[in-house]
Amino acid sequence: MNNILIIARKEVQEGLRNRWVFATTLLLAALALTLTFLGSAPTGNVGANALDVVIVSLSSLTIFLVPLIALLISHDAIVGEVERGTMLLLLSYPVGRWQVLAGKFLGHLGILAFATLLGYGAAAAALATMGGIVEGGSLVAFAKMILSSILLGAVFIAIGYFVSALVRERGTAAGVAIGVWLLFVLIYDMALLGLLVVDQGQLIGGSVLNALLLANPTDAYRLLNLGSGDVSALSGMGGVAENAALSPGVLVSALAIWALMPLAAAALVFARREL
Amino acid sequence: MRAETVLVAGVTKSYGRVCAISDVSCELREGETIALVGHNGAGKTTLIKLMLGLIRPTSGTVKVLDEDPASGRFEARQRLGYLPENVSFNLALTGRETLAFYARLKRVPLASIATLLVRVGLGEAADRRVGTYSKGMRQRLGLAQALLGRPRVLLLDEPTTGLDPALRRSFYDIVAELRSDGATVLLSSHALTELEGKADRVVIIDRGAKIADGTLEELRRIAQLPTRIRLRVTEDAADRVNEWARTSGWRRVDGHLLEIDAGPDEKIRLLRSAASADAPVADLDVIPPTLDELYAHFLGAREGGG
């Protein structure tokens, strides 16, 4: 256990030193604040709860940005260290390979969580100080949004590790990571939409659609944050969410499985890899 | 006989069809400094990786401090130091931070790292980023991490590359200290010459097979390499010199120099004849075979043997 913390600590230390933490936090905060101010302009003081609007915009931002940041941090984690030669030395120490992976995961997730918490938190704080209406329910939804964003980050960090453990060169890892991002963030949904239009409800029933939505972690995240409560009406996801009928518990479990499976696969591949 | 720390028994390691190590056996004992010599690509690094448990042998067994290094248990690694060939570190951290990280992993008290940094000559540069270090400084940081926690077995892969002569000397001082402390030190190198007087035993490997193992004296005896005797002849009549040289089998290097390659059994006879009163000899040099020649002999013998 101690070894995991030692490695996590070093990852955070490196992240602070090479400005990863700083850059990520700044990026998320800047975008979140921009969306907050732009988003609250049209609603003014009446109409929709300002924080709900922010949740909708930030969730959409998260779906694009958090997987990208997570893959950027993680795709290099194994293959990069192997290529630079630092992994060889590290593995000659009394530390297991799974501990190296778990430590890196903890460290990278810590960096991402810190950036998300601070960046999005800044948006909520800004809204509160501007005197926007912040209801308790919206606040809970906002907290849930932040936590699930971190969980989505965990999913893509894990996927990044799996890619990193599989490939032989850093360049390949970067290419595959971009492919993964495109697939889950853009292509999958377009293909799904196309499929639904063509199918016209003939073959794809509710349960098949559910399975298809759970098969993409970003869709699970989207349903989790945009599909319930007041937010669903704003986001236009209400219709899908009602038909999908997936409870938050199921969606969170799906995300957790999406994080653990690639992580386990990465550990398995890494354990067998010869240096 | 001193206790054995590393045992390699009948180990073969192949990658697909390529055989990196074939049927190598050797044992290393405590307090012993062993030179592992071979060309680049001969299998030195593969052998060291097998001892570290980073790769598993295709067949045969490896034991380090009574433990299978690839078993996933780490008691032995706690007492093992390793310096990889072309050691590299994360460039963003300082030397001290880097060493502290490795010390934590080995459960070595952090108080010891300041002394260690001074010992390898990095006291001044300890708080600079590794990215600003020269190659020699990185090598020294590599050595410092290998020395963490008084290791019983040290595996040093080409340790002196990138070190200037002064650092090289202080490096061998450290090795001598470790040896007197009872540690096993394995030094790999592609040149035998540098290790003269530094290693108790030499293991030569070539294309994955062990071709020689013993002290330098033993290897010299096995190799039966001729000693070169070189003479400077007197300014006597050229005829007499020519006549004398021809009968004893000396060959001419130039007008004044003669030489001969004397096998171990005829060396004394030749020296006596050259030193006798009637020999036209002004000066005499005996040049024992160099380590490079010895090394070349073992490689050549394998070449000839198939």
Side-chain angles (χ1 to χ4, degrees):
Chain A
M1 189 63 213
N2 208 350
N3 280 342
I4 298 176
L5 291 178
I6 292 168
I7 290 171
R9 180 188 159 153
K10 183 182 175 247
E11 287 299 327
V12 173
Q13 206 175 15
E14 282 174 19
L16 288 169
R17 193 59 58 79
N18 60 26
R19 310 268 191 278
W20 251 113
V21 178
F22 180 70
T24 316
T25 311
L26 200 70
L27 179 71
L28 286 178
L31 286 171
L33 286 170
T34 312
L35 285 176
T36 306
F37 291 127
L38 289 180
S40 61
T43 56
N45 288 330
V46 289
N49 186 326
L51 199 56
D52 286 340
V53 178
V54 173
I55 290 173
V56 173
S57 24
L58 284 189
S59 301
S60 312
L61 175 71
T62 302
I63 288 165
F64 282 90
L65 210 55
V66 168
L68 192 66
I69 294 171
L71 286 169
L72 270 177
I73 311 181
S74 63
H75 80 272
D76 199 39
I78 295 168
V79 73
E81 284 225 35
V82 169
E83 214 164 86
R84 282 191 295 271
T86 45
M87 191 61 89
L88 194 64
L89 185 59
L90 182 58
L91 293 182
S92 77
Y93 273 75
V95 52
R97 294 189 181 194
W98 72 270
Q99 290 176 321
V100 171
L101 201 69
K104 280 177 172 289
F105 184 72
L106 209 62
H108 285 154
L109 191 61
I111 292 174
L112 197 72
F114 176 82
T116 312
L117 217 59
L118 217 67
Y120 289 2
L127 207 61
T129 51
M130 282 190 329
I133 312 150
V134 178
E135 286 171 4
S138 300
L139 216 55
V140 171
F142 192 78
K144 277 184 188 159
M145 191 271 291
I146 290 185
L147 286 178
S148 57
S149 299
I150 295 169
L151 188 56
L152 185 68
V155 169
F156 280 90
I157 290 175
I159 294 175
Y161 287 168
F162 181 50
V163 171
S164 200
L166 275 177
V167 302
R168 294 273 142 207
E169 281 169 45
R170 294 170 76 183
T172 322
V176 175
I178 292 171
V180 166
W181 183 80
L182 281 174
L183 174 71
F184 281 136
V185 174
L186 295 174
I187 298 170
Y188 189 92
D189 286 350
M190 280 197 274
L192 186 58
L193 202 63
L195 196 66
L196 290 175
V197 169
V198 170
D199 185 60
Q200 294 288 341
Q202 301 276 310
L203 297 166
I204 301 175
S207 55
V208 179
L209 181 63
N210 283 350
L212 286 172
L213 287 172
L214 290 178
N216 181 349
T218 60
D219 279 335
Y221 172 87
R222 192 177 275 128
L223 283 178
L224 188 61
N225 284 293
L226 303 180
S228 62
D230 300 337
V231 177
S232 66
L234 283 174
S235 65
M237 280 289 283
V240 181
E242 267 162 37
N243 287 329
L246 290 163
S247 72
V250 172
L251 293 168
V252 170
S253 312
L255 283 172
I257 290 170
W258 259 110
L260 292 176
M261 293 250 291
L263 201 60
L268 209 66
V269 174
F270 185 39
R272 287 157 178 243
R273 185 168 179 151
E274 299 217 316
L275 291 168
Chain B
M1 205 101 197
R2 281 176 298 198
E4 173 187 281
T5 48
V6 177
L7 173 75
V8 175
V11 165
T12 298
K13 173 69 193 173
S14 36
Y15 295 98
R17 279 200 207 146
V18 185
C19 196
I21 291 282
S22 59
D23 196 25
V24 169
S25 299
C26 64
E27 42 196 68
L28 317 181
R29 301 178 180 286
E30 63 183 18
E32 199 179 30
T33 303
I34 303 97
L36 179 64
V37 184
H39 283 320
N40 293 326
K44 297 181 304 252
T45 302
T46 308
L47 200 56
I48 289 176
K49 281 183 182 172
L50 283 164
M51 292 175 186
L52 288 166
L54 293 175
I55 51 178
R56 290 163 196 276
T58 311
S59 64
T61 49
V62 181
K63 279 246 151 79
V64 176
L65 298 166
D66 294 323
E67 200 176 87
D68 175 5
S71 69
R73 294 175 62 241
F74 301 128
E75 278 90 58
R77 284 195 191 179
Q78 213 101 26
R79 292 170 293 152
L80 185 126
Y82 168 52
L83 173 62
E85 184 184 6
N86 304 322
V87 66
S88 58
F89 301 99
N90 186 290
L91 305 182
L93 301 182
T94 68
R96 195 188 302 279
E97 286 167 344
T98 304
L99 206 55
F101 167 66
Y102 289 114
R104 281 190 202 103
L105 281 180
K106 250 188 188 169
R107 312 284 187 269
V108 174
L110 295 186
S112 64
I113 63 176
T115 0
L116 202 50
L117 282 164
V118 172
R119 192 174 175 194
V120 297
L122 286 177
E124 304 272 305
D127 293 310
R128 271 167 48 197
R129 287 184 184 205
V130 177
T132 67
Y133 283 17
S134 68
K135 182 163 192 322
M137 290 166 85
R138 284 178 207 182
Q139 191 72 12
R140 278 182 276 162
L141 186 59
L143 184 63
Q145 64 77 28
L147 295 176
L148 280 168
R150 198 166 167 262
R152 308 318 297 149
V153 174
L154 267 160
L155 306 174
L156 309 176
D157 202 351
E158 311 240 346
T160 54
T161 45
L163 294 186
D164 60 47
L167 285 171
R168 207 168 274 219
R169 204 162 40 243
S170 68
F171 167 79
Y172 282 119
D173 287 345
I174 293 173
V175 168
E177 239 173 82
L178 290 162
R179 166 166 49 179
S180 56
D181 192 31
T184 303
V185 184
L186 181 78
L187 302 163
S188 96
S189 178
H190 56 262
L192 195 50
T193 322
E194 198 197 299
L195 298 166
E196 173 135 53
K198 309 289 196 294
D200 304 316
R201 192 147 64 86
V202 178
V203 175
I204 302 179
I205 58 170
D206 180 43
R207 280 170 289 165
K210 185 170 91 169
I211 55 173
D213 184 352
T215 63
L216 279 177
E217 288 63 41
E218 281 167 355
L219 294 191
R220 283 212 166 95
R221 212 161 49 234
I222 296 165
Q224 295 273 309
L225 284 185
T227 303
R228 182 159 295 173
I229 304 172
R230 187 171 279 189
L231 303 177
R232 197 154 58 77
V233 293
T234 49
E235 304 284 331
D236 282 14
D239 286 351
R240 198 170 82 80
V241 172
N242 279 342
E243 175 62 21
W244 183 83
R246 202 168 42 76
T247 51
S248 315
W250 297 82
R251 64 174 179 272
R252 221 170 237 292
V253 180
D254 62 26
H256 301 290
L257 291 176
L258 299 177
E259 65 175 28
I260 194 165
D261 291 328
D265 46 343
E266 49 176 6
K267 191 161 69 182
I268 293 298
R269 187 181 58 77
L270 282 163
L271 280 172
R272 280 213 182 97
S273 99
S276 63
D278 57 336
V281 175
D283 195 9
L284 176 152
D285 279 317
V286 179
I287 308 159
T290 66
L291 289 175
D292 276 337
E293 283 167 333
L294 192 65
Y295 180 37
H297 166 83
F298 280 104
L299 293 182
R302 178 162 149 82
E303 208 80 53

